[in-house]
Each structure stands twice: as C-alpha cells, then as structure tokens.
Amino acid sequence: MVGRYCSEEMLYIFSPQFKFTTWRKLWLALAQSEAQLGLPISKRQLSQMATHLDDIDYNRAGRYEKKFRHDVMAHIHTFGDAAPLARPIIHLGATSAFVGDNTDLIQLRGALEHIRSQLITVIDLLAKFSRKHKSLPTLGYTHYQPAQLTTVGKRATLWCYDFVVDLIELQHRIETMCFRSVKGTTGTQASFLKLFEGNHKKVLRLEKLLAEKMGFKKIAPVTGQTYSRKIDANTLATISGIAQSAHKFCNDIRLLANLKQIEEPFEKSQIGSSAMAYKRNPMRCERATSLARYVISLTSSPAMTAAEQWLERTLDDSANKRLAIPEAFLAVDAILNIIANVVDGMVVYPKVIASAIDAELPFMATENILMAAVQAGGDRQKLHEIIRKHSHAAAAQVKLHGKPNDLINRLKADPAFEAVDFSGVLDPKKYIGRAPEQVTDFLRDTIAPLKQKYRKYASTKKSKLKV
C-alpha cells in the first residue's frame, strides 16, 4: 500500500506521526478543559505541552514501551520528558482508550472526508462522460447477451448512480459519528467525578469542551471503556460499498474493452504484454477490481470484532483494528484514484459500437417491421411465423458460416413485406427509448443538486499517484 498504491494524504492519516501527535493534542485539550473548569493546571504547563505536540522522540518512546510493555504509558513518559512542567497532569483522570479510541474516531472521520472528496471527483467525471455520450446508441446487454439498445451515456449513469448512493451513505457516517470524549475506565466517568469533587455538571461540561476542541458536535451518549465497535463495522460496510461499485464499473470496462467498444487510457509507450506486443490490457481496471475484492473481504473483521466484545471491553479488538481499518481505507483511496484516472481518459470507439449494433439490430427491428406489415393489411400470426423462419436462417448465416446478418434483405425480398417501408428501420436512434432524456433528467435532478451540496468538499488538485 505504501510503496505502490496510496495517496500521501491517506497515508498520513494512518501514519504514526498523525496518531501520536493526535494523542498529544488530546492530552493538551484535556488539560486545557480541566483548567477551564477549575483544576490547578498552570498556563506554563499548558504552554509547554503546546510547544511539543509534533516533536516526538520515537526512539525514546520505543525504549519506554520495551520497558513498560504499554504503548500509552510509553508516550505519556515521552511527552513528560519533553514537557517536564506538565508531567504531573498529563493524562489526568483518563484511561488508555481516551487517546486510543478518540484518535481512532478522528482518523475515521478524516479518512471518510478524504474519500468523500475522491467520490465527488469520480461522480463529476462520470457525469461529464454521460453528458458527452448521452445520445450515442449502443447495444445493451443482459446476461452478457445482446439486448435492447441503450446509449453509452445512459450506461454511464448506472455507474455514476452507484457512487452517488455510496456518497450519501458515506456522508451519513460522517454526520452521525459521535466522539467518545471522556468516559473513564468502564464508561462511568467515575475518575472525573472524583477530580471535580462530585460535581456532575462539571464532568458533563468537560466532556463537551473536549469534543468541541477536537471538532466534534456529537458525543456518544454511553460507552463502556471503548466506543461501540459497531462504528467500525458500519464504517467498513460503507467502504465496502464503494469497493463494490468500483468493482462493477471496472468489470464493465474490462468487458467492453474485450469488445473493443470502450477502453481505459493506454499510454504511448505502455506495454500490454511481454510476449504479445499487440496487447492493450485493461490493467488499471484489473488492479482496481483486485483491490476491491480485498476491501470487501476485510469487512468481516470489524463485524466479528463488534460481535466478540465482552461486557465493558476486551483487548482482542486492537490488533485486528490496526490492520483491517487502515488497510481498507488505503485500498479504497487507491481504487478511487485509479477510477478517476480511467474515467478522465476513457476512450470510446463509435464505429466499433455501430458495427456491433448493425450485427444485432435487424433482429431487434423485427417487432417494428411486424407492426408495419400488420398495419398494411397483413395477418399478424402468419407474419410472425415468416419472420421467425427468416430470423433462424439469418442467425445460421452468422453463427455457422461467419457471414453478415442478412435478415433485412431476406424480409425485403419476401412478398409478405412488400408493403413495408424499410427506409429508416435500421436507424439505431429509433430504438433507444428515453435514454438521452433519462441522462438529462439524471444530471439535472440528481447530480446538479448533489454537486451544489458537496461543492465545498470537492478536491481541486489532481492526485500524484501513478496509476
């Protein structure tokens, strides 16, 4: 993930520097809030803490952890060495989950916000692609067999809407995320009630002050020692949803690439195969589907962790969380960067698409031809049987002999259809229904309001990731 796939922004969110500076920010915010509420904590102590939020001596912390076998205590002592005046009041009243869980929530929120900006980019690119190709007819496929016509733009709205659903779900996770704040060792806030000599109002005020300082409006109403691991499970389910949408999109592009109708970008000097020089493999989409399967598989870990928690807490969540949650976010970060790159440079081949339509449209046009012949005085049932026989004969020419579809010529030559005007019967635009109008409606009614709502979250810079 670090060396090959992920953006610097997402890597930083799950980096040791982000984690441990956030621990120090939490300790500072706790001390500031406690001082505001009357505990004897001096401005000099707070100032010294504030001066040493980022300059973490990791070697020193490592030595302390080897000695104590406790990561939080190791960093408390390391921070105390950097801010000796504050040593007596660092972590006052708190338990390890104070820094651990609150930092996890801050990371989750930051990672979700980063993914949000990437989703907005992908949705915007797919919307532009849909608009550009909204009227370009193409074969629809059901069961991966030729079906009624659609348009290239309409198909792209299906990809786009999947990501819209993901964005709405992701925004819900951001808006409803609650901070743990100060809850104590078993969630009863007993240590803080002791600090404030039984003053319940000050404990509640402390909780709110800390949450405000860390940028949270909502606080978990109750917790054990840790915030509910349902938060992790629900968040990973949302991330998995994005991976599912990405997988579907990329699989479709891989299928269309095989048909030579649409391809992902292919660099001028890119090599598709070490042996077959002509190959243009869809390697970006293949990479994204590979990573998407990984993300989907990771969702089982936080779900089982949430189920496995005992009473007020156990510690069998920790090692699993450190692996599953960052890896899922890092992988989705890579996936969305890949997809943005693919959509931004996607290549459409209208002539190949038209050729595929020409091979199948005669069969699809038979219903219109049948109606025209009936309107000209023919017997519907007899005409249906004639069309059936000609269709099978034409299909045999295509499948058994590799020849072009000659169904229309057969029908033109049959006296039963001499009254039918065949001019324009093979115009693909007569068979795309409301596809162009659906694209227009989708862009106006769904995408435009969404872009207005989320415009402040959109990223203005392009990813530096090599895809």
Side-chain angles (χ1 to χ4, degrees):
M1 291 293 182
V2 174
R4 190 173 184 115
Y5 297 130
C6 301
S7 69
E8 293 177 1
E9 295 86 351
M10 189 63 83
L11 286 170
Y12 176 67
I13 290 171
F14 290 103
S15 69
Q17 184 67 11
F18 183 96
K19 175 179 178 178
F20 295 120
T21 57
T22 302
W23 282 16
R24 291 191 175 188
K25 290 174 183 177
L26 283 162
W27 282 320
L28 174 61
L30 176 63
Q32 289 172 333
S33 300
E34 289 172 336
Q36 281 180 251
L37 294 170
L39 292 188
I41 297 172
S42 70
K43 291 182 179 180
R44 290 185 64 199
Q45 287 173 312
L46 297 176
S47 176
Q48 200 170 73
M49 291 174 73
T51 303
H52 296 283
L53 295 178
D54 301 316
D55 55 343
I56 299 169
D57 187 337
Y58 289 101
N59 291 329
R60 184 184 294 266
R63 291 194 297 270
Y64 274 128
E65 185 167 356
K66 187 175 181 180
K67 176 182 178 181
F68 299 136
R69 303 295 297 168
H70 196 288
D71 57 348
V72 174
M73 287 303 297
H75 278 270
I76 289 173
H77 280 266
T78 303
F79 196 15
D81 290 347
L85 290 176
R87 183 192 301 277
I89 53 89
I90 293 173
H91 198 70
L92 184 60
T95 187
S96 296
F98 167 71
V99 287
D101 272 37
N102 283 321
T103 295
D104 285 350
L105 290 166
I106 291 167
Q107 285 179 314
L108 285 179
R109 183 182 63 179
L112 286 169
E113 288 171 345
H114 178 70
I115 294 295
R116 178 175 60 192
S117 69
Q118 293 176 298
L119 268 177
I120 293 167
T121 296
V122 167
I123 289 168
D124 184 53
L125 289 169
L126 281 170
K128 290 175 180 175
F129 182 88
S130 299
R131 181 181 291 108
K132 181 178 180 181
H133 300 287
K134 70 176 184 178
S135 300
L136 178 60
T138 188
L139 277 178
Y141 292 90
T142 58
H143 313 276
Y144 201 43
Q145 302 298 315
Q148 219 172 48
L149 299 191
T150 182
T151 68
V152 172
K154 170 61 192 300
R155 177 178 287 146
T157 64
L158 305 183
W159 302 325
C160 189
Y161 185 59
D162 280 351
F163 288 115
V164 168
V165 172
D166 294 327
L167 178 61
I168 293 169
E169 173 66 16
L170 183 143
Q171 184 65 19
H172 171 71
R173 295 292 162 215
I174 294 173
E175 291 176 353
T176 58
M177 185 169 290
C178 294
F179 201 48
R180 178 190 176 277
S181 197
V182 289
K183 287 292 196 286
T185 55
T186 57
T188 66
Q189 299 177 315
S191 59
F192 296 104
L193 191 61
K194 178 70 174 176
L195 278 175
F196 291 106
E197 300 177 341
N199 190 322
H200 291 267
K201 289 184 179 180
K202 283 193 174 183
V203 175
L204 293 175
R205 182 60 181 151
L206 174 69
E207 191 171 44
K208 292 180 180 179
L209 281 174
L210 184 81
E212 289 170 2
K213 284 180 169 61
M214 302 311 295
F216 281 83
K217 295 180 180 179
K218 297 180 180 180
I219 301 170
V222 291
T223 73
Q225 188 176 95
T226 63
Y227 68 80
S228 171
R229 295 315 186 217
K230 293 284 289 185
I231 302 300
D232 296 341
N234 290 341
T235 300
L236 263 289
T238 299
I239 296 303
S240 171
I242 297 171
Q244 294 158 31
S245 301
H247 198 294
K248 200 276 183 191
F249 163 75
C250 289
N251 267 2
D252 283 357
I253 299 303
R254 292 164 68 187
L255 292 169
L256 292 169
N258 172 261
L259 299 174
K260 297 179 175 60
Q261 295 183 16
I262 294 179
E263 287 182 342
E264 66 178 41
F266 196 87
E267 306 296 336
K268 184 177 181 180
S269 58
Q270 182 175 329
I271 295 174
S273 168
S274 60
M276 296 168 279
Y278 59 88
K279 293 287 290 295
R280 289 172 65 98
N281 298 332
M283 62 88 171
R284 291 170 173 81
C285 287
E286 288 173 326
R287 181 181 300 164
T289 54
S290 182
L291 290 168
R293 288 197 299 273
Y294 178 55
V295 173
I296 294 167
S297 74
L298 287 174
T299 57
S300 62
S301 285
M304 289 189 289
T305 295
E308 183 65 17
Q309 289 298 286
W310 299 352
L311 304 176
E312 278 63 53
R313 85 143 318 162
T314 58
L315 197 58
D316 61 349
D317 58 343
S318 179
N320 188 287
K321 277 168 57 69
R322 293 185 193 199
L323 291 170
I325 293 175
E327 290 284 297
F329 274 106
L330 291 169
V332 169
D333 168 73
I335 289 166
L336 291 175
N337 277 325
I338 292 168
I339 290 177
N341 174 268
V342 169
V343 180
D344 196 33
M346 204 143 59
V347 183
V348 178
Y349 296 104
K351 291 185 178 180
V352 177
I353 292 171
S355 178
I357 291 174
D358 290 343
E360 302 294 340
L361 190 56
F363 297 123
M364 299 174 192
T366 55
E367 185 175 6
N368 286 9
I369 295 170
L370 174 64
M371 294 301 100
V374 170
Q375 288 175 339
D379 182 305
R380 193 265 178 199
Q381 314 314 327
K382 291 180 180 179
L383 291 168
H384 184 279
E385 178 61 17
I386 294 170
I387 290 175
R388 187 187 71 81
K389 289 181 178 180
H390 282 310
S391 295
H392 282 251
Q397 290 293 308
V398 174
K399 295 178 179 179
L400 299 179
H401 306 293
K403 294 183 178 180
N405 189 334
D406 64 352
L407 176 57
I408 297 300
N409 289 334
R410 289 172 181 270
L411 295 177
K412 282 182 177 180
D414 193 304
F417 297 93
E418 61 184 0
V420 174
D421 180 8
F422 281 87
S423 62
V425 75
L426 292 183
D427 179 3
K429 291 188 176 181
K430 293 181 180 291
Y431 301 90
I432 59 175
R434 295 193 64 256
E437 290 76 17
Q438 286 181 341
V439 173
T440 299
D441 294 347
F442 175 70
L443 296 178
R444 181 191 65 237
D445 300 336
T446 301
I447 299 301
L450 181 142
K451 288 178 67 175
Q452 177 68 17
K453 178 179 179 180
Y454 292 100
R455 68 185 187 281
K456 63 182 177 182
Y457 304 124
S459 176
T460 56
K461 67 176 183 176
K462 289 192 173 183
S463 172
K464 299 177 182 177
L465 184 69
K466 291 183 179 180
V467 292

